[in-house]
Amino acid sequence: MKTFYIETYGCQMNFYDSQVIDDVLQGMGLRKVASAEMSDLILINTCSVRDNAEQRVRGRINQLWGERVARRQEGMIGLLGCMAQRLGESLLQEKHSRLDFVVGTDQYQRLPEIIDLALQKKPSLYFTDFDHVVTYEARPKQMPPGGSHYLAVMHGCDKFCSYCIVPFTRGRERSKPMEIILREARSISEAGGFEITLLGQTISSYQHGGDDFVSLLRNVSCIDGIKRIRFMTSYPTDLNEQVFDAIADLPKVENRIHLPVQSGSDRVLRKMNRHYDLAQYEAILLAGRERIDGLQFSTDLIVGFPGEQEDDFQATLQLMERQKFVSSFLFKYSPREGTLACRSEDDVPESVKSERLARLMELQEATTVRLLQAQVGEELEILLDEESKKAKNQLRGRTRNNMRVIVDPKKGTAIGDFAVARITGFKGGTLTGELL
Ligand code: 5AD
Ligand code: SF4
């Protein structure tokens, strides 16, 4: 066992965790490789939030296993992440299980010992105990290249929205000690990183010792070399005037907030166990907009929650029309075993879910186009953060409220620099501009 390969699905938290896993495995002398073909050990870090995420991984496991058999190659496959946590031992007992071991979200530090046991061909290797205190730390040598990095500041979730599996796959909410966060942020900066995305399932409820979300933003802002700070995901009722004032006050902190609303209907919100109604949610958006210049909100929405009627859905459409989210992540409700909502019948037909989803997408696209259109001719400050993925020799920058702008480089400007761009147009969801 010399090499490993890791494939990551799902949210940013999983990508962060995969960095931690890289570190643990490299610490035991394994070398990371870029393809399954070259690796002795294949790891898959998984997501359980919707059923299609799990089905995709199941297909992928079979494919990887089949390819390995065809190559007559020895090796192991280990499953990690939310699906491992949720299904545990049952994954190993399935008839055609291709897995050698299963490791849940709180057990990554034990991977060396687990891999050792797997090498000894011990049966039933599943490790899914929760450890209600563990938090992880990613070290700079494992950081992927580039200026932007994730930094998890919390793990778990205590909100128990009725549709959501996360409280069951990630356990109780816990915040990482401030000194560890700052150590990590400093090492990101020392390794050449200039943008940090702070991660937590409900990040605005960060609390450790005397520290809260506001002191977190203030402290990370003090780190030299870090030029921009993003954070996600916020829970609506955790945002208050102090948080908005801090964002307004701290120029490094992005003025875009991802604030999932999930539905525009009070009846549905109640059944989702979201602890606010529509009026409260919109009052929070208003308070933010009053305090922070140029603030943009993005959101998440679920269509087809059990019992969702046409008028509930209309309320969601009207909310989107009123609030003009800069972007939204739109999902069809997917029942998750063990959640409260799963006890109700999944009674909105698939065809209705698809149709509602399409209507939301259409409205979002129209809104996004209008917001982009309004930027044409403006001069915007951007932080150049990477080479354009699509256009050769061009750079991508992002405004403080996270609008992407593609520009031609100019002499003397480099990735990691601030620059001012005059916006000339847009393509897809991205602005185009010229540097001044
Ligand atoms: N079905 C559909 N979407 C879901 N989400 C969470 N659970 C479910 C589910 N069971 C969505 C929510 C959440 C986002 C990360 O995924 O909108 O904010
Ligand atoms: Fe899931 Fe709700 Fe927690 Fe978000 S806040 S992770 S939707 S339970």
Side-chain angles (χ1 to χ4, degrees):
M1 184 75 32
K2 291 199 184 84
T3 53
F4 74 100
Y5 163 77
I6 183 162
E7 212 164 271
T8 307
Y9 293 85
C11 65
Q12 291 92 340
M13 192 63 92
N14 266 10
F15 284 83
Y16 177 84
D17 285 351
S18 285
Q19 258 174 260
V20 173
I21 295 160
D22 280 359
D23 193 17
V24 173
L25 296 199
Q26 298 197 42
M28 62 184 285
L30 296 182
R31 189 164 53 85
K32 186 179 173 176
V33 291
S35 80
E37 211 173 309
M38 288 150 52
S39 72
D40 304 320
L41 170 64
I42 296 175
L43 294 172
I44 309 174
N45 193 358
T46 61
C47 169
S48 281
V49 84
R50 282 168 292 277
D51 186 55
N52 55 11
E54 291 197 355
Q55 294 315 328
R56 222 174 118 207
V57 163
R58 286 178 178 281
R60 184 68 181 141
I61 296 168
N62 283 328
Q63 185 191 13
L64 287 166
W65 182 84
E67 288 171 2
R68 170 162 277 176
V69 170
R71 288 193 299 268
R72 298 173 189 279
Q73 189 182 358
E74 294 274 305
M76 297 196 293
I77 304 182
L79 200 82
L80 318 172
C82 286
M83 203 174 156
Q85 186 68 46
R86 188 175 94 75
L87 297 166
E89 186 181 14
S90 73
L91 286 167
L92 294 168
Q93 287 171 344
E94 286 174 12
K95 203 157 167 216
H96 294 292
S97 177
R98 314 299 191 197
L99 300 173
D100 296 281
F101 59 87
V102 169
V103 184
T105 51
D106 279 355
Q107 299 290 329
Y108 301 146
Q109 304 291 3
R110 288 181 65 194
L111 273 165
E113 169 201 345
I114 295 167
I115 291 168
D116 231 31
L117 291 169
L119 282 169
Q120 297 166 37
K121 301 265 176 254
K122 292 266 193 309
S124 275
L125 291 179
Y126 64 97
F127 300 83
T128 53
D129 284 352
F130 276 123
D131 172 330
H132 292 300
V133 288
V134 73
T135 57
Y136 296 121
E137 180 174 358
R139 294 190 302 172
K141 71 174 179 0
Q142 258 53 64
M143 276 171 205
S148 293
H149 297 275
Y150 294 133
L151 200 174
V153 301
M154 298 172 74
H155 297 269
C157 181
D158 284 351
K159 299 287 187 200
F160 288 95
C161 303
S162 67
Y163 49 82
C164 186
I165 197 70
V166 168
F168 305 94
T169 60
R170 293 235 165 226
R172 298 290 56 75
E173 177 186 299
R174 64 216 101 122
S175 296
K176 202 144 119 178
M178 184 69 81
E179 64 272 17
I180 296 183
I181 295 172
L182 295 179
R183 187 160 75 205
E184 243 177 292
R186 264 183 241 112
S187 59
I188 287 174
S189 161
E190 280 155 18
F194 50 83
E195 283 188 335
I196 291 183
T197 303
L198 303 171
L199 299 176
Q201 253 77 35
T202 54
I203 196 162
S204 24
S205 58
Y206 175 87
Q207 193 89 56
H208 194 277
D211 285 307
D212 61 7
F213 184 54
V214 168
S215 53
L216 174 68
L217 292 178
R218 289 198 184 284
N219 289 337
V220 179
S221 272
C222 290
I223 294 178
D224 287 338
I226 299 304
K227 297 182 176 172
R228 188 158 283 152
I229 301 160
R230 304 178 213 291
F231 56 96
M232 65 192 315
T233 298
S234 305
Y235 188 85
T237 49
D238 290 336
L239 289 184
N240 53 37
E241 291 164 10
Q242 285 87 324
V243 174
F244 291 137
D245 287 341
I247 296 171
D249 202 34
L250 298 166
K252 291 184 183 180
V253 178
E254 155 176 280
N255 54 0
R256 170 184 300 214
I257 301 178
H258 185 58
L259 200 63
V261 61
Q262 310 298 359
S263 168
S265 153
D266 283 340
R267 206 174 65 89
V268 174
L269 286 172
R270 236 181 353 262
K271 290 215 283 191
M272 287 177 159
N273 195 31
R274 299 288 286 184
H275 299 281
Y276 52 84
D277 60 20
L278 192 62
Q280 275 169 296
Y281 179 83
E282 294 196 271
I284 294 164
L285 299 194
L286 182 66
R289 289 185 167 129
E290 279 175 353
R291 285 179 163 73
I292 306 169
D293 244 14
L295 178 65
Q296 295 280 18
F297 285 99
S298 57
T299 202
D300 289 348
L301 285 158
I302 298 175
V303 295
F305 186 79
E308 186 188 65
Q309 306 285 327
E310 179 62 25
D311 58 342
D312 297 313
F313 174 69
Q314 285 298 333
T316 300
L317 276 175
Q318 284 158 16
L319 167 70
M320 283 180 83
E321 264 166 19
R322 275 195 306 278
Q323 292 299 346
K324 305 197 171 33
F325 297 104
V326 65
S327 79
S328 52
F329 297 89
L330 308 169
F331 307 106
K332 290 185 211 173
Y333 170 69
S334 166
R336 309 311 291 138
E337 211 183 310
T339 61
L340 195 63
C342 198
R343 295 186 202 162
S344 303
E345 194 194 338
D346 180 19
D347 59 356
V348 179
E350 184 58 28
S351 59
V352 176
K353 285 184 188 170
S354 296
E355 190 233 84
R356 288 181 185 165
L357 189 75
R359 281 155 78 192
L360 290 189
M361 279 179 172
E362 203 181 310
L363 177 55
Q364 183 59 55
E365 271 165 33
T367 308
T368 307
V369 164
R370 246 178 277 131
L371 287 170
L372 293 172
Q373 184 82 59
Q375 304 300 322
V376 176
E378 296 285 315
E379 291 175 9
L380 304 177
E381 187 188 54
I382 57 174
L383 176 59
L384 296 166
D385 63 350
E386 60 178 42
E387 281 168 21
S388 165
K389 289 195 183 85
K390 290 194 185 120
K392 255 198 164 165
N393 301 327
Q394 289 194 303
L395 298 180
R396 188 189 74 178
R398 289 198 262 182
T399 62
R400 189 181 164 206
N401 62 16
N402 202 354
M403 298 229 229
R404 296 184 300 269
V405 187
I406 299 289
V407 293
D408 286 321
K410 229 174 118 184
K411 228 178 154 190
T413 49
I415 288 172
D417 288 349
F418 282 103
V420 176
R422 181 181 300 116
I423 307 305
T424 51
F426 57 92
K427 224 192 246 161
T430 304
L431 296 165
T432 51
E434 48 194 29
L435 291 181
L436 296 182

